[in-house]
Amino acid sequence: VALSLGVPGFAWGGKTRLARRYKPGQQMIYQTAIKTTVKVSSNPEGLKALLPPLPTSLSTRQRNTITVRSVSAEGVAEVENRFDRFEFESNLIELLPEDMRESAAAAQDEFSKQLDGQTLSVRYDRAGRLLDFGGAEAALQQLDAQLREAAKQILRVFLEQMGGGALYPDHPVKKGEEWKLKLDAPPSGDHPFWVEGENTLRFVGKTRHLGIRAAIIDLHFTNLLRPSLDTLRRDGAFVQLQTQGMGLDISVSGEGKGRVLVALDDGRILQNHTTVRQTLKAEMTKTTGTNLPVDGPLSLRIASETQLQVEGGDRPGR
């Protein structure tokens, strides 16, 4: 019994236990590439011209050293994430007026320099779910407002994937078995959305990655995000629409699929190849006698596709 409890990847009767077990002092190195493309559409077509210039292509390449600093009695892990190398690119500069390009390029370069060598403090719960992170505020402030939130969300996606949240089953699984996990979450300070979703996972089998025994897991998820009412009420544009007899409905729907390699000894992520597609939809509907200038509601859609490629391994000498 003692041996089986100490080795979460051990198989019982053809089944395998997959669980995240943080170990203080453990280090991992990750090489990550994230690329996001964006398309904007609106009804009427000219509505999108009222938006400030938005980047339609963003990418990062980075090398990170992850160190588990401590684990509380409740299983919350305090993790240090150091950016040993960070490169950030977007096409926002070429979309800006010529007199703004030089300053935007300088800000983008400064953002990369600020994160290069920067260490983030990250907290995960015992299931690997991201609780919060800090340390990137100064770097994010270097970016124009159009890029700041996008860059923050890219960082968030990366940190979520490092933890492996909404991945591990609550029971031993056999080869070919599927399980589902809810993705529901309330708004938080740095993510003011209600989240509803579900992750469907399948234990494909076992392999070795850089000499480490690993489980192969295929995943597919769907989610729906809606901004909290408190967030909308603080937005001046939303209040102005209400006074003009207009309603505003905002949602972000998404889905993703990929394959993850998980270490059998403690559940740490070894590899992650995932594609995520999301669509932000904003519709302004008539609530009183206001005449709309087009058939149907005024609408704006921002569709994005993000490809995530993560390669990880134990730190040499560890």
Side-chain angles (χ1 to χ4, degrees):
V1 172
L3 285 173
S4 67
L5 289 175
V7 187
F10 196 84
W12 296 272
K15 294 188 176 183
T16 301
R17 168 73 72 180
L18 303 174
R20 185 66 177 101
R21 295 168 68 92
Y22 292 98
K23 302 173 184 178
Q26 182 185 38
Q27 287 189 320
M28 289 279 292
I29 289 180
Y30 289 100
Q31 305 277 354
T32 305
I34 303 175
K35 183 175 182 179
T36 299
T37 56
V38 179
K39 292 183 179 180
V40 181
S41 59
S42 65
N43 180 36
E45 180 69 17
L47 182 63
K48 64 184 181 183
L50 301 177
L51 294 172
L54 295 174
T56 57
S57 176
L58 304 96
S59 63
T60 67
R61 299 185 67 86
Q62 58 206 59
R63 180 182 186 271
N64 297 73
T65 298
I66 312 296
T67 306
V68 180
R69 289 305 182 192
S70 64
V71 183
S72 72
E74 294 75 27
V76 174
E78 301 283 346
V79 176
E80 180 182 281
N81 187 322
R82 175 183 166 82
F83 289 88
D84 302 316
R85 185 179 68 252
F86 184 84
E87 300 171 5
F88 176 80
E89 294 181 356
S90 83
N91 69 338
L92 176 65
I93 296 169
E94 62 193 62
L95 301 176
L96 290 172
E98 190 170 348
D99 61 344
M100 298 176 61
R101 292 177 184 176
E102 185 176 348
S103 61
Q108 187 168 294
D109 288 343
E110 184 61 26
F111 174 65
S112 294
K113 291 177 183 177
Q114 286 264 354
L115 272 188
D116 198 346
Q118 179 70 44
T119 297
L120 305 186
S121 299
V122 191
R123 295 171 67 245
Y124 296 100
D125 68 12
R126 65 171 64 251
R129 293 184 179 87
L130 176 65
L131 298 177
D132 53 57
F133 68 94
E137 295 82 5
L140 288 168
Q141 286 302 316
Q142 300 297 323
L143 295 174
D144 289 347
Q146 299 98 308
L147 272 178
R148 192 176 305 141
E149 188 59 30
K152 183 177 180 180
Q153 292 310 317
I154 287 176
L155 283 177
R156 185 181 182 86
V157 167
F158 166 71
L159 294 172
E160 286 176 337
Q161 298 302 318
M162 292 303 94
L167 180 66
Y168 308 100
D170 61 2
H171 61 281
V173 292
K174 62 183 179 181
K175 183 177 178 180
E177 183 175 346
E178 285 190 354
W179 65 98
K180 296 180 183 293
L181 295 172
K182 290 292 186 182
L183 302 176
D184 300 356
S188 62
D190 65 343
H191 196 247
F193 293 90
W194 290 97
V195 181
E196 298 176 6
E198 186 174 70
N199 203 0
T200 301
L201 305 111
R202 180 172 177 268
F203 177 33
V204 176
K206 299 178 183 178
T207 187
R208 284 188 177 271
H209 179 72
L210 301 179
I212 303 168
R213 295 179 66 243
I216 306 169
I217 301 174
D218 281 349
L219 61 89
H220 175 263
F221 69 84
T222 58
N223 60 23
L224 178 66
L225 290 72
R226 291 188 179 278
S228 67
L229 287 177
D230 286 344
T231 300
L232 289 176
R233 288 171 182 146
R234 291 196 298 267
D235 188 278
F238 176 72
V239 174
Q240 186 175 7
L241 284 172
Q242 282 189 317
T243 60
Q244 295 176 357
M246 303 289 289
L248 180 63
D249 181 48
I250 300 177
S251 65
V252 181
S253 58
E255 66 171 350
K257 62 179 180 179
R259 171 165 287 190
V260 180
L261 300 185
V262 173
L264 288 172
D265 57 354
D266 65 0
R268 65 194 184 279
I269 301 298
L270 299 175
Q271 186 183 77
N272 187 339
H273 294 177
T274 299
T275 299
V276 181
R277 296 181 177 89
Q278 291 186 310
T279 300
L280 182 149
K281 182 175 68 174
E283 289 190 346
M284 290 169 276
T285 56
K286 183 171 66 173
T287 58
T288 64
T290 304
N291 293 320
L292 292 172
V294 294
D295 293 333
L298 293 169
S299 65
L300 177 70
R301 291 174 181 264
I302 302 177
S304 67
E305 178 178 291
T306 298
Q307 295 182 349
L308 177 73
Q309 304 284 324
V310 179
E311 301 289 339
D314 288 329
R315 185 175 179 85
R318 288 277 173 172

